[in-house]
């Protein structure tokens, strides 16, 4: 695969930064260079230079999407922009890789399979479901569904690491269940799908391992930081958000079935192994 013939949106996000390390010859764009929601921006790109488009862009402010303005922005970026990408892929015979989310489901089933019907709880989830529908309109597509992404920049693990080193004892949600997905592993899985020319369609992709809560993950981070697991208090989602306004409903069950991605020959790392490596990096940064 000629990686110089890959066009990537969202090049400065967590996944975008991981893809930069893995596909250094690809063309990476950010919102300032290429606004995927602006139909006129597509005419400025010579699409004959590319075989694949990886959409790593997205509006991810789940609670912000509950406002009228936020909902409109989420729909514009997560759905309307994806439709423009899909139309462009169809016109130029490109393969579109679009990153999806467990938020397209209501979290009442576990694990979630690729063929589960959409049941989003939030406006963000609705925008992601509409984006999946749009991405599927182009013949050559991979919709890569993932959860709980951790990469370079602000994320849950880094936040817990910082809180531990500030001797803060947080309350963390203990009834949302799933697995972490490290951006490096997500990027590697996307590259694998393209390189092996796996069958097109939707494919779940997270790290492997046991199913845990956010509070469980926070405790692992605290112990790694030299603190006690007892410093983390588990609370329900309802308790955590009690009295707060503008909060989007969250799916409680976020486990994704990984049988399909494994059948292509890609074996995701255990999230505990990946987390240990990530925490070693954070430790080195703070040394």
């Amino acid at each position: 695969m000629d990686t110089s013939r890959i066009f990537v949106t969202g090049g400065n996000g967590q996944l975008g930064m991981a893809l930069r390390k893995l596909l250094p010859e690809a063309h990476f764009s950010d919102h300032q260079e290429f606004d995927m929601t602006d139909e006129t921006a597509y005419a400025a790109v010579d699409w004959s230079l590319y075989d694949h488009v990886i959409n790593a862009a997205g509006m991810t402010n789940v609670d912000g999407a509950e406002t009228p303005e936020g909902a409109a922005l989420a729909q514009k970026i997560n759905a309307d922009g994806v439709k423009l990408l899909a139309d462009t892929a169809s016109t130029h015979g490109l393969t579109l890789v679009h990153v999806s989310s467990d938020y397209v489901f209501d979290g009442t089933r576990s694990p979630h399979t690729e063929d589960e019907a959409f049941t989003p709880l939030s406006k963000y989830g609705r925008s992601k479901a509409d984006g999946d529908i749009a991405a599927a309109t182009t013949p050559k597509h991979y919709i890569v569904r993932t959860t709980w992404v951790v990469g370079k920049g602000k994320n849950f693990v880094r936040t817990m690491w910082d809180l531990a080193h500030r001797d803060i004892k947080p309350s963390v949600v203990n009834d949302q269940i799933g697995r972490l997905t490290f951006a490096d592993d997500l990027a590697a899985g996307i590259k694998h799908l393209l390189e092996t020319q796996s069958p097109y369609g939707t494919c779940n992709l997270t790290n492997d391992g046991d199913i845990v809560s956010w509070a469980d993950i926070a405790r692992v981070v605290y112990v790694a930081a030299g603190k006690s697991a007892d410093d983390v208090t588990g609370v329900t989602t309802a308790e955590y958000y009690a009295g707060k306004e503008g909060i989007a409903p969250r799916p409680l069950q976020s486990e994704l079935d990984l049988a399909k991605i494994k059948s292509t020959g890609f074996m995701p790392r255990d999230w505990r192994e990946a987390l240990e490596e990530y925490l070693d990096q954070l430790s080195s940064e703070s040394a």
Side-chain angles (χ1 to χ4, degrees):
M1 180 176 66
D2 183 354
T3 59
S4 69
R5 294 184 61 81
I6 299 176
F7 186 96
V8 183
T9 68
N12 293 328
Q14 291 191 105
L15 175 56
M17 296 302 291
L19 287 166
R20 285 180 185 270
K21 293 189 296 182
L22 202 60
L23 305 169
E25 295 179 343
H27 178 85
F28 290 85
S29 66
D30 58 18
H31 178 72
Q32 285 69 36
E33 178 190 347
F34 175 72
D35 181 356
M36 59 181 280
T37 69
D38 181 0
E39 191 170 359
T40 64
Y42 290 79
V45 178
D46 183 357
W47 295 105
S48 69
L49 298 176
Y50 305 106
D51 297 320
H52 313 292
V53 179
I54 301 175
N55 181 30
M59 192 274 209
T60 58
N61 185 351
V62 175
D63 293 327
E66 290 299 297
T67 68
E69 299 80 9
L73 182 61
Q75 197 69 20
K76 181 179 180 181
I77 296 173
N78 296 342
D80 299 344
V82 178
K83 182 61 166 63
L84 291 174
L85 279 177
D87 289 346
T88 299
S90 296
T91 298
H92 298 278
L94 310 177
T95 299
L96 173 63
V97 180
H98 172 65
V99 180
S100 182
S101 166
D102 62 299
Y103 274 70
V104 302
F105 304 128
D106 62 11
T108 59
R109 291 177 56 180
S110 186
H112 299 291
T113 58
E114 285 83 357
D115 58 359
E116 183 176 338
F118 297 134
T119 52
L121 296 171
S122 64
K123 291 172 181 167
Y124 166 78
R126 180 72 264 168
S127 73
K128 292 299 293 184
D130 288 345
D132 286 10
I133 293 168
T137 62
T138 191
K140 298 191 291 185
H141 71 269
Y142 296 107
I143 297 170
V144 179
R145 188 161 293 136
T146 194
T147 63
W148 301 13
V149 177
V150 176
K152 188 174 182 179
K154 184 179 179 181
N155 59 65
F156 175 80
V157 172
R158 182 179 287 272
T159 297
M160 291 300 110
W161 178 261
D162 291 342
L163 292 179
H165 284 86
R166 290 161 53 197
D167 292 323
I168 294 174
K169 299 180 180 180
S171 295
V172 182
V173 169
N174 63 5
D175 61 348
Q176 294 178 33
I177 308 299
R179 297 190 191 98
L180 293 175
T181 306
F182 285 83
D184 287 345
D185 297 274
L186 182 57
I190 290 171
K191 182 182 180 184
H192 168 83
L193 290 173
L194 292 174
E195 282 185 328
T196 59
Q197 299 181 8
S198 295
Y200 297 120
T202 301
C203 197
N204 292 335
L205 178 51
T206 70
N207 281 93
D208 206 348
D210 54 328
I211 307 304
V212 294
S213 71
W214 287 114
D216 293 328
I217 295 167
R219 293 184 181 109
V220 174
V221 175
Y222 263 64
V223 170
K227 307 296 181 179
S228 170
D230 294 335
D231 289 347
V232 177
T233 300
V235 295
T236 66
T237 300
E239 290 170 334
Y240 185 81
Y241 289 113
K244 299 178 182 178
E245 297 182 355
I247 301 300
R250 266 77 168 164
L252 297 185
Q253 299 289 337
S254 294
E255 178 191 0
L256 301 184
D257 188 293
L258 299 177
K260 186 173 180 179
I261 188 67
K262 290 180 179 179
S263 73
T264 72
F266 184 78
M267 301 297 169
R269 287 188 299 170
D270 188 289
W271 68 263
R272 291 182 182 272
E273 173 192 343
L275 176 59
E276 182 178 359
E277 180 180 301
Y278 184 82
L279 292 174
D280 285 343
Q281 293 173 359
L282 293 183
S283 181
S284 298
E285 291 174 8
S286 58

